[in-house]
Amino acid sequence: MPTTREQLRRMVAERKPPHRGFAWSELMDALEQMEAATRDSAVSTLEDEDVGVLVDLLAQRGRVPLRGQPPVPHSMPPEELVQLRALKILAQAGRLATIRDSLERLDREPSAPALRDFARQLLSRLESEEEA
């Protein structure tokens, strides 16, 4: 059976999510694996397919089909928590330029304050890097 990470990749490539959806804990584990690929070495080992998954999660506003109810880790809705994790991973991987549109959207649209503030910080960082 394919891993959750492989299923996420397939969902992006084929535009077809698994028929039963993703279990919340498995989705968080897959995001943790991607995050580990960005912090465990001097150079990010995040694969291009994973970057595509993260960019797509931002474009879909963090909406992925879930099976069962996700636990509420805090006051942030699950979709926004997925987006926040995706932003953190892409920032650690040095891939901010690929998500400029998503950062600008998150800065404009209503969202959890933590998500909006983090998007603003990343957008500011991206603009500073481009000016340098």
Side-chain angles (χ1 to χ4, degrees):
M1 179 165 178
T3 66
T4 300
R5 197 168 172 180
E6 292 166 339
Q7 290 176 355
L8 283 166
R9 290 174 174 179
R10 187 175 304 147
M11 181 182 79
V12 170
E14 299 172 4
R15 293 286 173 216
K16 191 168 60 174
H19 75 282
R20 291 184 50 222
F22 297 96
W24 179 256
S25 62
E26 292 170 0
L27 178 61
M28 291 295 106
D29 287 345
L31 292 173
E32 177 60 36
Q33 291 170 12
M34 291 179 209
E35 189 172 3
T38 66
R39 70 171 176 250
D40 289 343
S41 63
V43 177
S44 172
T45 57
L46 189 65
E47 297 176 32
D48 288 339
E49 289 176 300
D50 291 331
V51 170
V53 165
L54 296 168
V55 170
D56 199 61
L57 287 175
L58 289 171
Q60 294 182 38
R61 294 172 164 77
R63 293 183 189 109
V64 293
L66 296 173
R67 114 178 127 242
Q69 290 289 71
V72 180
H74 44 68
S75 61
M76 188 179 291
E79 295 84 9
E80 292 183 356
L81 181 59
V82 169
Q83 289 181 88
L84 183 64
R85 295 279 312 263
L87 285 176
K88 287 180 178 182
I89 296 166
L90 289 165
Q92 288 175 342
R95 300 291 189 104
L96 292 181
T98 61
I99 57 167
R100 175 183 282 284
D101 292 343
S102 292
L103 291 172
E104 290 171 350
R105 176 183 51 79
L106 288 168
D107 183 35
R108 286 188 316 266
E109 292 180 357
S111 60
L115 177 60
R116 187 176 48 250
D117 291 345
F118 190 60
R120 284 181 183 157
Q121 289 173 17
L122 295 178
L123 191 56
S124 177
R125 186 167 102 190
L126 178 60
E127 290 168 351
S128 296
E129 289 172 0
E130 290 175 345
E131 290 174 3

